[in-house]
Every structure is written in structure tokens, then in C-alpha cells.
């Protein structure tokens, strides 16, 4: 491999070593201190909420992961936080995370742009379902999960301040973490990935606003998928300028410059940094010359307005502040942040929506059936009936096993360490468990 910063001997040694890194990013809206978590060692230098662990626990058996208190994310990927801190973007930015499943970068973006909107897209349907699960558990109201092919974004001309393209790639950067990736690697696949990356970029770049940024990343070491793609971006789109990101020397991140267009790139080698293999490059759209403007007609809203009577049913259950607008999506009632409602409606009109804002629940006659998403969100703070349980009981709940528990009549939030895990319904002699069956713990 002829890549700046690559050292065969140390690179091979680190891959043969038994030491594997584990890192997590905590959810700042759910836990304010890491005291609740085990095995924390040191912070990840480039990400405010990132931490390394001294060992890798079986996360499935940690109730707090199901409460969305943290996300297990590879440390190099968290560099996105540092990039966002070093570019000129507003807190209410409109962001597209195009290849978003399982949701590592989406949850980071959601925590970073608290007042913005993150469109988290995943083309593969089964992976989009996993993305929804992670977004629901994270619990913020600023995300929209979509399930579209990059081509279908043609209608989203210049809508986004930031586009994150964490591209599907040949995966060599994951060799240490995932041995199966080694067997799947081939030179033909690198070429195939590089062509696909170019195609996705051509589809998506017109969606970037003037003054906006695109962050392109892969977990591949291949120049064809990294610096050569950076060259492609600038060559094909002269209005995109390379952006240099300041890095501290002690981080050992290798700064590269592409052959043809002198675009900056940042390489993470596992023998140098505390993280897996990763490449990232950032570009700013400086003018409007490339992409011809066209009208953006807003299509008819596919969602149904919530009636006054339905609102009364919702408010008899939860007294939500006026900062949300309600929309009915099939059977579900969604609460969408009013501050960004026009943009959210525009996205809903253009893409295939899996989830938007917070799903509050559904209405059956005069009854309100709360959604798991509501339990996971900050709006759950408005619910008075809460039952705190210990770890064993929490795991029984998450397994949907028999629980020897009596709770006040009606809907209760079940909590572990003051964080909601989901709903139970108190009946005279027992409780009903409303944890989503498809997410229950199956491992014993
Ligand atoms: N950003 C994610 C995160 O941080 O958790 C990881 C994304 S992964 C590197 C790349 C994603 O691209 C996968 O979820 C994959 O399903 C998706 N993908 C595969 N082929 C694609 C295509 N042709 N267009 C867009 N996305 C694709």
C-alpha cells in the first residue's frame, strides 16, 4: 500500500495483537455523568461525549443501552464531532446523513445540532429498521428517518447545510475489529466501491446549500476510495473547496493531500491512533455556479392533520407544550418541533418517511396508547407514574419475562437508574409489559 503514514510492521503488529479497543459515546440528554457506567477509562480526545472502556462488556445485558444512555461507537468515527466544531455551521442546521444505518453518526449529529433537523437516510430496508430502533432509543425530537435511494434525493435541491456521506466501502479499516471483513476484501470490490461512491456523490451533491459542507468518509485504506474520491469531488464540482481541519500532533492522525486537486484528507491508522481505520475529508460549497436552480414544488402532505377531538385525547394523557405540531402518519400521532416545521413538512413531502420527530402513540376511541418512542424521549419527563426497578427486574422487563411487580393502575414508565426503559400497564393483580417484542432481549 503506497499511502502516506502507512507503516507495514506496526500496522501488522496491531492487527495480530489480542487487544481490541472499545469505546462508547454517552447521550448528554440522558446522563450527565459517566458514574452510571462501568469500565470507563479515558475520554476520546476529539469528541466531547466519547469514552474508552477498559473491557468490552456484553452490552445487551446493560439496561442503560436499551434506555439510549450511550451508543457503542468506534472512536475514529467520533472525529465527526471535532469536524463540526471546526466548521462554520449553526446549531439549527439542516443535515443529511445519507448512509446512516445503524446510526452512529446520526445519533452524534442529533446530539450536536440540538435545534436543527437531521435527515437520517438508509437505503436498505432491513438496516433502516435498525436505524429507527437506535434513533428511537436516543430519544431526541430533531431527527427524521427516511428509506430512500440516493437518486431519490434529486428533489431535495440545495436543502442541506451539512451532508454526511459515510460511504459504503470495501471495509479494510475494520480488519482488526471484524475478521470476516478480511475474507470479503478484494481489489475488484475496491473498484466497485469507488464507482458506487462516485455515483452516490453525483446524486447527492446538488442537495448541498451554497455555504454548506459535505463530510465524506470511509472505513477503507484504499486511495481509490479516499483521496481519489476527494479529487473526484473537487474536479467534478469546482464550487466545492477543500477544508483543512486542525488536528493535534499527539492524536497521531495522518493529514494527507490528494494527488490532483490538493484536497485535505485525514487518515486514522490503528497502529497510530486509539481507533480503527478511517478516512475523512471535508468540502465547502462556496458558490452557486454548478447546479442550475429549479423550482421546488411542495407536494401534497401525505400526513393527516390531527383533529381537535384527537388533540384532547392526547392532552388527557400528556400535557405537551405548544412547541410541537401534531401530524398523523398512518395510525401514529407524531410530535414535530414547531421551530423547524416548514423544513420537516418539505422533507415529508419528498421522501419515504420511517419516523419523524417523536411518535407519541395512537388513538383508539377515547383511549391514548403511548408509543415506545414517547417513553424514550424527553417528553417522558411529563409522565407522573414511574416505577423504578433493579437490574434483574429491568432485564426481565427487556426480555418480556414474567415480572413479580405491582404498579399503580394505568400506564407507568418503568425506569432503571432514573432512565425510562418503556411502558407497563398496571392492572389489579398484575402488570402488562409493553416493551416492543421485536426489540426484546433474546440472549440468556
Ligand atoms: N453511518 C453509519 C454509522 O455511522 O453508523 C454507517 C454507514 S455504513 C459505513 C454504509 C451504509 O451505506 C450502510 O448502512 C449501507 O447499507 C449503505 N449503503 C449500501 N449501499 C448503498 C448505496 N448504493 N447507496 C447508499 N447507501 C448504501
Amino acid at each position: 500500500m503506497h499511502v502516506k503514514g502507512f507503516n507495514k510492521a506496526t500496522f501488522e503488529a496491531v492487527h495480530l495483537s489480542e487487544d481490541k479497543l472499545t469505546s462508547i459515546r454517552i447521550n448528554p440528554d440522558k446522563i450527565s455523568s459517566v458514574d452510571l457506567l462501568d469500565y470507563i477509562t479515558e475520554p476520546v480526545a476529539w469528541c466531547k461525549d466519547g469514552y474508552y472502556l477498559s473491557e468490552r462488556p456484553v452490552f445487551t445485558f446493560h439496561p442503560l443501552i436499551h434506555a439510549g444512555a450511550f451508543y457503542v461507537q468506534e472512536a475514529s468515527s467520533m472525529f465527526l464531532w471535532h469536524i463540526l466544531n471546526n466548521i462554520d455551521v449553526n446549531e439549527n442546521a439542516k443535515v443529511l446523513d445519507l448512509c446512516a444505518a445503524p446510526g452512529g453518526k446520526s445519533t452524534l449529529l442529533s446530539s450536536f445540532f440540538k435545534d436543527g433537523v437531521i435527515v437520517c437516510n438508509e437505503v436498505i430496508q432491513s438496516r433502516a429498521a435498525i436505524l429507527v430502533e437506535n434513533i428511537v432509543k436516543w430519544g431526541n425530537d430533531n431527527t427524521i428517518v427516511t428509506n430512500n435511494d440516493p437518486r431519490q434525493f434529486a428533489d431535495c435541491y440545495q436543502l442541506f447545510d451539512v451532508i454526511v456521506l459515510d460511504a459504503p466501502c470495501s471495509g479494510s479499516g475494520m480488519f482488526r475489529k471484524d475478521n470476516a471483513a478480511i475474507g470479503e476484501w478484494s481489489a475488484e470490490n475496491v473498484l466497485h466501491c469507488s464507482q458506487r461512491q462516485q455515483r452516490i456523490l453525483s446524486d447527492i451533491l446538488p442537495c448541498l446549500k451554497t455555504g454548506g459542507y459535505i463530510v465524506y468518509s470511509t472505513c477503507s485504506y484504499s486511495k481509490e476510495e479516499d483521496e481519489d474520491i476527494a479529487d473526484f469531488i473537487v474536479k467534478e464540482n469546482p464550487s466545492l473547496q477543500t477544508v483543512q481541519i486542525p488536528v493535534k500532533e499527539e492524536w497521531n492522525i495522518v493529514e494527507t493531500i490528494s494527488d490532483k486537486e490538493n484536497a485535505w484528507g485525514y487518515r486514522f491508522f490503528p497502529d497510530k491512533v486509539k481507533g480503527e481505520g478511517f478516512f475523512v475529508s471535508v468540502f465547502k460549497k462556496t458558490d452557486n455556479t454548478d447546479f442550475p436552480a429549479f423550482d421546488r414544488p411542495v407536494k401534497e402532505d401525505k400526513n393527516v392533520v390531527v383533529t381537535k377531538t384527537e388533540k384532547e385525547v392526547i392532552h388527557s394523557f400528556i400535557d405537551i407544550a405548544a412547541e410541537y405540531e401534531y401530524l398523523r402518519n398512518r395510525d401514529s400521532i407524531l410530535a414535530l418541533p414547531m421551530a423547524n416545521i416548514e423544513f420537516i413538512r418539505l422533507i415529508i413531502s419528498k421522501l419515504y418517511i420511517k419516523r419523524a420527530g417523536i411518535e407519541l402513540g395512537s388513538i383508539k376511541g377515547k383511549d391514548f396508547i403511548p408509543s415506545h418512542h414517547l417513553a424514550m424521549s424527553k417528553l417522558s419527563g411529563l409522565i407522573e407514574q414511574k416505577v423504578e426497578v433493579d437490574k434483574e427486574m429491568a432485564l426481565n422487563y427487556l426480555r418480556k419475562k414474567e415480572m413479580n411487580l405491582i404498579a399503580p393502575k394505568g400506564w407507568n414508565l418503568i425506569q432503571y437508574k432514573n432512565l425510562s426503559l418503556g411502558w407497563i400497564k398496571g392492572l389489579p393483580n398484575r402488570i402488562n409489559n409493553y416493551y416492543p417484542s421485536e426489540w426484546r432481549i433474546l440472549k440468556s
Side-chain angles (χ1 to χ4, degrees), residues 71 99-105 122-124 127 150 166-168 196 200:
Y71 188 96
C99 304
K105 306 221 173 33
E122 170 58 45
V123 64
I124 298 173
R127 290 179 60 83
D166 191 26
R196 180 168 58 184
I200 295 175

Side-chain angles (χ1 to χ4, degrees), residues 400-417:
K400 292 194 76 115
K401 274 192 160 176
E402 193 78 11
M403 290 168 75
N404 192 8
L405 182 71
I406 297 297
K409 186 168 170 273
W411 293 101
N412 294 263
L413 282 172
I414 188 156
Q415 297 200 317
Y416 173 68
K417 298 198 173 179

Side-chain angles (χ1 to χ4, degrees), residues 219-327:
C219 57
S220 164
Y221 299 116
S222 301
K223 201 162 151 277
E224 295 86 334
E225 299 180 74
D226 296 343
E227 285 86 357
D228 291 357
I229 296 290
D231 271 341
F232 168 85
I233 292 174
V234 179
K235 184 160 182 293
E236 296 292 310
N237 308 279
S239 73
L240 287 173
Q241 274 184 7
T242 179
V243 176
Q244 190 174 15
I245 302 294
V247 284
K248 291 197 174 150
E249 212 180 316
E250 65 262 29
W251 294 352
N252 280 330
I253 295 166
V254 176
E255 190 176 55
T256 63
I257 297 178
S258 68
D259 292 342
K260 294 184 182 143
E261 306 290 340
N262 296 325
W264 301 104
Y266 298 87
R267 280 184 173 263
F268 294 65
F269 291 105
D271 51 330
K272 294 190 162 55
V273 301
K274 285 192 78 176
E276 302 306 318
F278 185 62
F279 170 84
V280 65
S281 198
V282 184
F283 306 87
K284 178 171 187 170
K285 182 169 166 54
T286 50
D287 64 41
N288 220 350
T289 50
D290 279 348
F291 315 126
F294 66 86
D295 283 338
R296 282 194 263 117
V298 179
K299 290 184 199 145
E300 198 186 324
D301 201 330
K302 287 174 274 185
N303 293 269
V304 182
V305 173
V306 173
T307 65
K308 190 163 168 268
T309 322
E310 286 176 325
K311 275 187 193 161
E312 280 165 12
V313 177
I314 300 168
H315 290 154
S316 67
F317 185 86
I318 187 166
D319 190 12
I320 294 171
E323 67 209 51
Y324 289 97
E325 178 171 305
Y326 304 121
L327 273 187

Side-chain angles (χ1 to χ4, degrees), residues 119-138:
V119 176
C120 316
N121 179 70
E122 170 58 45
V123 64
I124 298 173
Q125 205 179 356
S126 56
R127 290 179 60 83
I130 298 165
L131 178 61
V132 170
E133 176 177 347
N134 286 323
I135 290 291
V136 164
K137 288 179 178 171
W138 206 245

Side-chain angles (χ1 to χ4, degrees), residues 27 38 50 58 62 71 73 97 117 122 124 153 184 187 194 209 237 254 286-287 315 325 331 340 346 376 404 416 438:
N27 185 339
D38 313 316
V58 182
H62 204 315
Y71 188 96
Q73 186 175 33
D97 185 9
V117 180
E122 170 58 45
I124 298 173
F153 281 81
E184 284 159 20
S194 145
K209 276 186 195 167
N237 308 279
V254 176
T286 50
D287 64 41
H315 290 154
E325 178 171 305
D331 278 347
N340 290 312
L346 195 63
M376 296 287 100
N404 192 8
Y416 173 68
E438 64 279 21

